[in-house]
Amino acid sequence: MVSKTSLSLRLTFLLSLSLSASYSTCSHSFLSLRSSSSPSSSPSSPIPKATPSDLLSLLGPATAHSSSSVNPVIAGRLRSCFRFLVPFSPRTTSKCSSVNRKLIVGDGVQGRRAECERRRDEDRLIWWPPEPVLELARLAVDSGGDVGAIHRAIDPTPIAVPDVEGSKEDRCELTRAPYGRRFISEELNAYLKFLFELIESRGSAVGLDVTLSRYDFFHGHLFLANDTGRLGILFHAKEYPSYDKEVFPYYMGYCQTGSNVTYDDSMNLRNILWLAPLPSSSTNSWVSPGVLVVLDARPDGIIYQDLIPEYVQFARTLYEDDLGDVAVDVNYLNVGGLKPNYQIFIC
Ligand SMILES: *[C@@H]1O[C@H](CO)[C@@H](O)[C@H](O)[C@H]1NC(C)=O
Ligand SMILES: *[C@@H]1O[C@H](CO)[C@@H](O)[C@H](O)[C@H]1NC(C)=O
């Protein structure tokens, strides 16, 4: 399934393929030129192209078959593009109290302890989310990756999508339908909000300055990974960069009007991946904790070179359909007036 927003990106970039062709070829390194030529025509090439499945494997259980099946050169290059917003491996020890002992005096102590504890709680919510999220993650795998399992967890009542920061005036439709839905479980809806807000607050630590706004960060695509059924969301930030003759000469339609998103290096970081914990397929246990990672698509990296289709390399868009079966889009929209009011709309 393709959302309106990504469709507009796709079309825009298809139309300007000739313009961007020079970008996508000139920045290739020797390694990627070699690896992107077809294996049959160059049997001497030892390094295959990275696949979306390689990427997901590296974010799965370390001991399982999967990671070891990834070519080590590819694994190293993929890992060099991971910018974790939450440490990949759960820490078992709490460092908050030991940090405090080193501080001498002052108002900062209480604040720092609170900050440390807040971060630790957030980390844990990514590694081991609340029960309703775990249930959905297990359902996804047990159903064999059936998106119907996700659809059945959603309350069918349609909720009209109101104006979002003046979008109606600009004739901009941000969502693929004029109405959205919510999960039956309020905790699932709350968890989605938590993900959007955590990405916004932690992004800058890895160089992703992101704002929850209709031009920048408001949506993600919930998918079930092809081979494992693992539940995930591919978020896209920097959705509508402002038109600029020099740096971003693309018209993207009504939703771009008035954009204050500048096209700069932080575009490289616009694909953000959340993966739910992976349940064991034979027991009640879990084989992998949850993951929250920014995928760095800088032009000299393997994500840009091997995983992003050439016609959208300029926009750095990694496609959700390449990761698995897309069940729904999740939107987090500011439907408030003067006072911001962010709400979830599942479309
Ligand atoms: C999932 O399947 C699609 C379509 O068959 C394919 O393009 C994509 O690469 C696959 N992704 C993974 C992670 O295997
Ligand atoms: C763009 O506008 C939003 C909403 O007014 C604001 O929060 C954000 O900081 C602005 N971003 C930039 C890059 O100026």
Side-chain angles (χ1 to χ4, degrees):
M1 283 192 276
V2 177
S3 76
K4 237 176 203 153
T5 49
S6 55
L7 185 66
S8 66
L9 266 175
R10 232 183 267 235
L11 287 178
T12 307
F13 288 95
L14 269 177
L15 290 174
S16 49
L17 188 59
S18 53
L19 271 177
S20 56
S22 55
Y23 285 93
S24 48
T25 49
C26 69
S27 53
H28 272 179
S29 67
F30 169 70
L31 193 63
S32 94
L33 274 178
R34 202 170 50 146
S35 66
S36 59
S37 55
S38 89
S40 54
S41 67
S42 56
S44 60
S45 166
I47 301 167
K49 256 178 105 130
T51 65
S53 159
D54 292 339
L55 185 142
L56 292 176
S57 292
L58 293 176
L59 298 170
T63 50
H65 50 282
S66 43
S67 307
S68 54
S69 69
V70 180
N71 176 299
V73 174
I74 287 181
R77 294 191 69 206
L78 278 171
R79 286 203 182 92
S80 76
C81 293
F82 293 157
R83 308 274 171 264
F84 290 102
L85 294 179
V86 165
F88 179 53
S89 302
R91 284 185 299 250
T92 45
T93 55
S94 148
K95 288 183 185 156
C96 294
S97 49
S98 64
V99 162
N100 278 345
R101 259 178 245 127
K102 288 184 202 139
L103 296 171
I104 309 161
V105 279
D107 304 337
V109 177
Q110 294 270 326
R112 269 188 230 197
R113 168 182 275 173
E115 161 72 10
C116 171
E117 285 173 353
R118 192 173 50 76
R119 281 190 75 87
R120 194 193 50 194
D121 291 346
E122 290 168 349
D123 290 349
R124 286 181 180 155
L125 281 170
I126 294 297
W127 296 325
W128 305 115
E131 197 54 40
V133 181
L134 293 177
E135 274 171 30
L136 196 68
R138 191 172 285 278
L139 205 59
V141 170
D142 288 353
S143 70
D146 172 20
V147 294
I150 306 297
H151 295 158
R152 286 187 288 278
I154 294 172
D155 181 339
T157 315
I159 306 160
V161 177
D163 181 60
V164 181
E165 300 162 353
S167 59
K168 295 247 147 107
E169 197 181 326
D170 288 338
R171 291 193 278 172
C172 155
E173 280 179 38
L174 289 172
T175 54
R176 74 162 94 209
Y179 50 86
R181 298 187 159 86
R182 307 245 158 90
F183 279 114
I184 296 166
S185 158
E186 271 312 320
E187 272 182 280
L188 279 178
N189 297 316
Y191 194 75
L192 294 177
K193 290 187 180 197
F194 162 73
L195 289 177
F196 277 99
E197 283 167 11
L198 191 63
I199 291 165
E200 188 199 34
S201 69
R202 291 200 178 179
S204 59
V206 300
L208 172 65
D209 286 313
V210 72
T211 307
L212 285 166
S213 91
R214 71 176 173 99
Y215 300 115
D216 188 344
F217 184 40
F218 63 90
H219 82 287
H221 309 275
L222 189 148
F223 66 87
L224 304 184
N226 286 3
D227 31 6
T228 58
R230 190 174 189 181
L231 178 67
I233 301 176
L234 179 65
F235 292 96
H236 287 142
K238 311 280 163 200
E239 185 67 7
Y240 294 106
S242 64
Y243 178 91
D244 182 288
K245 252 195 327 225
E246 303 297 324
V247 299
F248 194 73
Y250 302 103
Y251 284 112
M252 301 177 71
Y254 297 133
C255 290
Q256 187 187 29
T257 308
S259 170
N260 67 348
V261 172
T262 44
Y263 183 93
D264 56 22
D265 282 349
S266 113
M267 285 300 284
N268 292 341
L269 305 175
R270 66 180 297 243
N271 302 287
I272 305 134
L273 182 63
W274 169 75
L275 293 173
L278 181 65
S280 157
S281 49
S282 52
T283 72
N284 280 338
S285 61
W286 297 83
V287 294
S288 223
V291 175
L292 187 63
V293 62
V294 170
L295 304 171
D296 188 348
R298 59 178 198 273
D300 63 351
I302 196 170
I303 290 180
Y304 177 97
Q305 292 170 355
D306 287 3
L307 299 181
I308 291 184
E310 238 171 71
Y311 61 90
V312 277
Q313 278 179 336
F314 200 72
R316 311 281 195 270
T317 308
L318 190 67
Y319 279 115
E320 56 278 9
D321 319 63
D322 291 337
L323 298 178
D325 283 335
V326 177
V328 288
D329 286 351
V330 293
N331 299 278
Y332 191 43
L333 307 173
N334 178 10
V335 298
L338 286 178
K339 192 164 166 279
N341 173 19
Y342 289 89
Q343 297 293 336
I344 292 289
F345 293 87
I346 296 172
C347 297

